[in-house]
Structures are given as C-alpha cells and as structure tokens.
C-alpha cells in the first residue's frame, strides 16, 4: 500500500543508525560474526542481542542475510525508569518523527522482567501516549489517523528497570524463511538449524547426514549455506513499506543477494527419517527453498549400515521425549544410536537434545557441549569430533 502522507525527517539514507539483531541465547557469537561478515561495525554483544551500526541499506542487507538472528531492530533509546512519569518523559524525548509518518500505525509491544514498572499493558499505554504527543508536536497536527497502511512495530523491553525501545524492521521473525509451510510435530527453528551447521565442522565437499531429519530443516539450511542463498530472499519484511528506505537501496541489496547465490550441482547431504509423512514434508520444503539436490530416504536409523559412513558429519535433532510416556523409549533410542555410531568411520557428530544425560546413554562423554535454546526448551549441543 502506498504511504498517503510522507513527512518523516529521515531523508538521508546514508545516516548511520544504531541497530539491534536479537537472537536466541547462545547464538550471540554467531550473529556477531555474521554482522562482521557483512562488513558492519559491531558495537557490542549482550545476552540475546548484538548491537551494531548501519544505514538504511544495511537494514535491508542484515534482514536478507542474517541466518541466526530473530529480528533486526532500530534502537530508538535505552534508559532507566522506575516511574511512569520517567518512562513518559524519556520516550517523549526520542526522535519519533524521524521515522514515523503522520498517518502511519505504531502499535506497541512491551515486556517487563524484574522491573519496578511491571504491568505490560500500562507500559504500552504510557509509551503510546508519549509517542502520540511527540508526533503531534513534530508533525504539527492533532490528527494521527494511523491509516496509511504502513506499520512501525514498537518494541519495549524492560529488564531490571533498564528500558530499551526499538522499532522492528523485520515483521515476521527471521526464522520464517518462507520455505517451511509444513512441519512435522517437533521442528527445529530455521535459525537454530543454521546455527548447528555453522557450529559444526561440515564443509560442502563433505558428506552431511541427518538420521532424524523430520521436515528437513537442518539439511535445507546447510544447502542454503553451501549455495550461498540469502535466507531472507523469498520472504517479505516490514521495512519494504517504509518511504525513507529507498527502492534503490532495496533493489541493490536484493540484486547483490541474487548474484551471490551459486548453485552447486552435487551436494552430499543425506536425510533419513522413519516417518514417511515427515519425509514428504521435507522434500516439499526443500523444493520450495529452491534446493533440489538433497538425498531423502525413509529409514529407521537402526537399519542403516553405519560402517558405510566414512569421513561424514552428522548433524541431527533426535526426539527429546519431553512427554513422560516417551522418555524410556527415547533413552533406548539414544543407547542404540550410540551403538550404531561406533560403527561409522572417522565421522563427527553434532546432536541436539534437551536430555543432559545423553552422553551417558550414548556411551561416551562429549568432546564439547554447548547450551542452546530450541524455542523455550533448554537444550545441549553435544559434539563428538571423531567416531571411534
Ligand atoms: C525432533 S524430530 C526432528 C525435527 C527436524 N529437525 C525438523 O526440523 O523437522 C525427530 C524425528 O526423528 C524421527 N524418528 C524417530 N525415531 C526414529 C528412528 N528410529 N529412525 C529414524 N527417524 C526416527 C521422527 O519421525 C521425527 O521426525
């Protein structure tokens, strides 16, 4: 939808802005490295977010390219507040008219953790009032109809009385690449799947095996990395409707991403699952992602001849048995998987599960272990650098 009235003051698309890439706990270093790889200046990394500097063009590039981040936001301000008056005044002081036009919508979403101001609806209401008052003054009108069809989602986060207020540029979370319209019962987030691949020793000339592939997320993310396909290329973003981000910048970032993709004819990625429906979904998802050269096969991992796996990287997300009735069968599955894996030759294994006792069941302490979150579930990425 076209913007009806455009009178924001963000005229110069080369202005440097302070940006935030949010991410799951444990993925900050990967996101930090991804931002640096885009040639951008990283200010600092904190729990669950990386702060960096960029222009309007960089907002487009970051949304298109970051594989492990959840969102890209414009940081409007950060301050401490313990009263609603302080919250109002400090929100009012920020430069809202620079971005939000007179008829644009600006819904507020607040979360508050361990803070004096703990009522999220009350925080939302005060922040809304402060922004309305500031925009009325900056645009010199009482009338803010919010009917242009353009939306600026305002995110307010309070942690121990420290507020960060930002504008979301992404829209849907970045894990929604657009290829996964169907998933099996327990899919891993695309951002986490990409992270597992990036944390592993896999390179596109090596064989990658996922014995519990489900809807195929790990294999698809690995293939997108191998083909250098920008993860955001097939989806839309909030910034696309913003008048101060020029079509020239948007087109230049998309054109850069399209040119960067280099499809490899052969990709030794093998996906197995016991469930035929999951495999159908995985194949459909891969095709939607433009990946046509993965190898899918229905198999119980116990029936696979692991002695044929040599110099491979296994990256996999087996069942967790979160429900009590499943837990013994999952423990049995982990024991059997340990037995099978010893038959492989010179392979590495990266396996994510919520069961901290996995190494005991598998039969070997992990060479390395990393705590990660799969949604709200605390998980461990157990890493074995070599099968015996
Ligand atoms: C947690 S899900 C994997 C989700 C997957 N990473 C995704 O993104 O959709 C675990 C998968 O293991 C499969 N599975 C369970 N037992 C199996 C077995 N014995 N052999 C092979 N696959 C099995 C299930 O069908 C399920 O798809």
């Amino acid at each position: 939808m076209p913007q009806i009235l455009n009178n924001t003051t963000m005229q110069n698309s080369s202005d440097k802005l302070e940006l935030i890439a949010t991410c799951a706990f444990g993925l900050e270093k990967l996101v930090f490295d991804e931002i640096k790889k885009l040639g951008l200046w990283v200010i600092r990394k904190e729990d669950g977010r990386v702060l960096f500097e960029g222009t309007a063009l960089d907002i487009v590039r970051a949304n298109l390219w970051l594989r492990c981040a959840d969102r890209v936001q414009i940081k409007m301000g950060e301050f401490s507040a313990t009263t609603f008056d302080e919250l109002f005044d400090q929100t009012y002081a920020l430069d809202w008219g620079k971005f939000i036009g007179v008829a644009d919508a600006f819904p507020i979403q607040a979360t508050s953790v361990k803070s004096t101001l703990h009522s999220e609806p009350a925080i939302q209401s005060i922040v809304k009032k402060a922004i309305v008052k500031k925009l009325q003054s900056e645009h010199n009108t009482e009338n803010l109809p919010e009917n242009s069809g353009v939306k600026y989602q305002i995110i307010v986060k309070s942690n121990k009385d420290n507020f960060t207020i930002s504008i979301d540029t992404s829209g849907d979370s970045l894990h929604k690449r657009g290829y996964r319209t169907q998933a099996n019962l327990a899919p891993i987030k695309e951002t986490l799947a990409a992270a597992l691949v990036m944390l592993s020793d896999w390179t596109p000339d090596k064989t990658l095996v996922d014995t519990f592939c489900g809807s195929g997320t790990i294999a698809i993310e690995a293939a997108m990395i191998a083909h250098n396909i920008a993860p955001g290329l097939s989806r839309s973003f909030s910034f696309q409707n913003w008048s101060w981000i020029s079509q020239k910048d948007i087109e230049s970032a998309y054109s850069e991403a399209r040119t960067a993709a280099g499809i490899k004819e052969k990709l030794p990625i093998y996906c197995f699952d016991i469930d035929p429906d999951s495999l159908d979904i995985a194949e459909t998802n891969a095709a939607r992602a433009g990946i046509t050269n993965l190898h899918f096969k229905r198999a119980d991992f116990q029936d696979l001849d692991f002695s044929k796996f040599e110099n491979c990287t296994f990256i996999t997300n087996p069942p967790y048995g979160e429900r009590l009735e499943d837990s013994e069968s999952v423990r049995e599955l982990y024991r059997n998987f340990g037995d099978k894996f010893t038959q492989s030759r010179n392979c590495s294994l990266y396996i994510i599960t919520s069961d901290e006792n996995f190494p005991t069941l598998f039969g070997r302490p992990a060479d390395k272990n990393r705590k990660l979150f799969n949604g709200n579930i605390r998980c461990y990425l157990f890493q074995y650098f070599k099968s015996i």
Side-chain angles (χ1 to χ4, degrees):
M1 245 194 173
Q3 195 173 13
I4 299 160
L5 290 166
N6 168 29
N7 53 356
T8 61
T9 56
M10 179 76 191
Q11 307 286 339
N12 189 349
S13 64
S14 61
D15 279 0
K16 281 266 168 35
L17 301 166
E18 191 168 342
L19 304 172
I20 302 174
T22 63
C23 62
F25 287 105
L27 302 189
E28 297 87 350
K29 175 68 169 68
L30 288 175
V31 174
F32 177 101
D33 290 344
E34 287 195 287
I35 294 169
K36 289 198 83 155
K37 211 170 146 200
L38 287 174
L40 303 179
W41 175 256
V42 178
I43 300 165
R44 64 179 183 278
K45 81 179 158 57
E46 298 174 350
D47 283 351
R49 65 185 200 171
V50 180
L51 288 94
F52 64 109
E53 243 180 37
T55 61
L57 171 63
D58 299 325
I59 290 176
V60 185
R61 294 178 69 233
N63 273 294
L64 277 176
W65 280 103
L66 294 181
R67 294 183 197 277
C68 303
D70 287 333
R71 297 184 169 281
V72 177
Q73 301 169 345
I74 301 166
K75 182 173 144 190
M76 294 298 291
E78 191 165 8
F79 51 80
S80 154
T82 52
T83 68
F84 285 119
D85 281 348
E86 282 173 353
L87 177 62
F88 183 96
D89 290 346
Q90 302 203 70
T91 305
Y92 183 87
L94 305 174
D95 206 355
W96 296 103
K98 186 171 172 184
F99 302 100
I100 305 175
V102 70
D104 299 339
F106 49 102
I108 321 285
Q109 189 192 81
T111 50
S112 176
V113 178
K114 295 182 190 155
S115 295
T116 313
L117 300 179
H118 52 81
S119 162
E120 291 166 352
I123 293 170
Q124 282 167 197
S125 158
I126 294 296
V127 168
K128 184 82 184 185
K129 279 188 188 139
I131 302 177
V132 165
K133 194 130 196 264
K134 184 64 174 280
L135 287 175
Q136 285 173 331
S137 151
E138 289 183 306
H139 293 317
N140 203 18
T141 174
E142 288 289 296
N143 189 20
L144 301 172
E146 301 200 37
N147 63 1
S148 66
V150 175
K151 184 169 107 174
Y152 288 86
Q153 177 69 56
I154 313 295
I155 315 262
V156 183
K157 282 201 182 300
S158 172
N159 189 1
K160 297 184 188 151
D161 297 332
N162 184 46
F163 281 78
T164 304
I165 304 199
S166 53
I167 298 176
D168 174 54
T169 74
S170 302
D172 280 339
S173 169
L174 295 180
H175 78 272
K176 296 195 174 167
R177 318 288 206 211
Y179 66 75
R180 197 166 76 182
T181 49
Q182 297 185 73
N184 78 344
L185 281 179
I188 194 170
K189 268 190 174 182
E190 293 83 340
T191 39
L192 180 57
L196 300 188
V197 175
M198 287 157 73
L199 288 167
S200 79
D201 65 3
W202 183 69
T203 50
D205 52 336
K206 254 185 109 178
T207 299
L208 190 160
V209 183
D210 181 356
T211 38
F212 306 96
C213 78
S215 48
T217 321
I218 294 172
I220 294 168
E221 290 295 323
M224 287 176 81
I225 291 170
H227 295 321
N228 204 26
I229 297 174
L233 208 46
S234 311
R235 53 162 278 166
S236 58
F237 301 98
S238 280
F239 67 74
Q240 281 163 324
N241 290 322
W242 296 351
S243 58
W244 55 270
I245 300 195
S246 71
Q247 282 309 311
K248 190 169 148 268
D249 277 348
I250 294 179
E251 195 31 58
S252 128
Y254 273 77
S255 152
E256 174 192 51
R258 281 191 292 266
T259 315
I263 303 299
K264 292 182 189 308
E265 263 179 45
K266 290 207 170 113
L267 208 50
I269 300 183
Y270 293 84
C271 310
F272 303 96
D273 201 286
I274 199 168
D275 174 32
D277 292 342
S278 291
L279 281 170
D280 284 348
I281 292 171
E283 287 195 65
T284 307
N285 289 341
R288 286 180 59 87
I291 312 289
T292 51
N293 49 3
L294 303 179
H295 307 274
F296 292 100
K297 192 170 187 311
R298 181 177 171 252
D300 182 331
F301 77 89
Q302 302 190 79
D303 299 332
L304 295 172
D305 180 359
F306 271 56
S307 67
K308 294 217 168 96
F309 294 125
E310 190 172 357
N311 303 323
C312 308
T313 299
F314 285 71
I315 308 176
T316 199
N317 165 217
Y320 294 172
E322 285 294 309
R323 292 178 304 168
L324 211 55
E325 66 267 29
D326 293 342
S327 53
E328 184 43 44
S329 62
V330 164
R331 281 200 284 270
E332 188 60 22
L333 182 146
Y334 292 173
R335 279 185 208 106
N336 293 340
F337 189 71
D339 290 345
K340 290 298 281 189
F341 190 70
T342 53
Q343 294 163 22
S344 69
R345 283 174 293 158
N346 198 27
C347 294
S348 56
L349 167 66
Y350 298 79
I351 187 161
I352 184 166
T353 167
S354 61
D355 188 344
E356 57 187 323
N357 292 320
F358 174 83
T360 309
L361 299 161
F362 181 73
R364 231 176 96 189
D367 294 316
K368 208 170 164 190
N369 163 15
R370 194 179 176 121
K371 210 180 285 175
L372 292 172
F373 281 82
N374 185 4
N376 291 329
I377 307 174
R378 189 175 63 178
C379 290
Y380 305 87
L381 175 64
F382 293 108
Q383 303 168 45
Y384 296 87
F385 300 139
K386 222 176 192 188
S387 44
I388 293 169

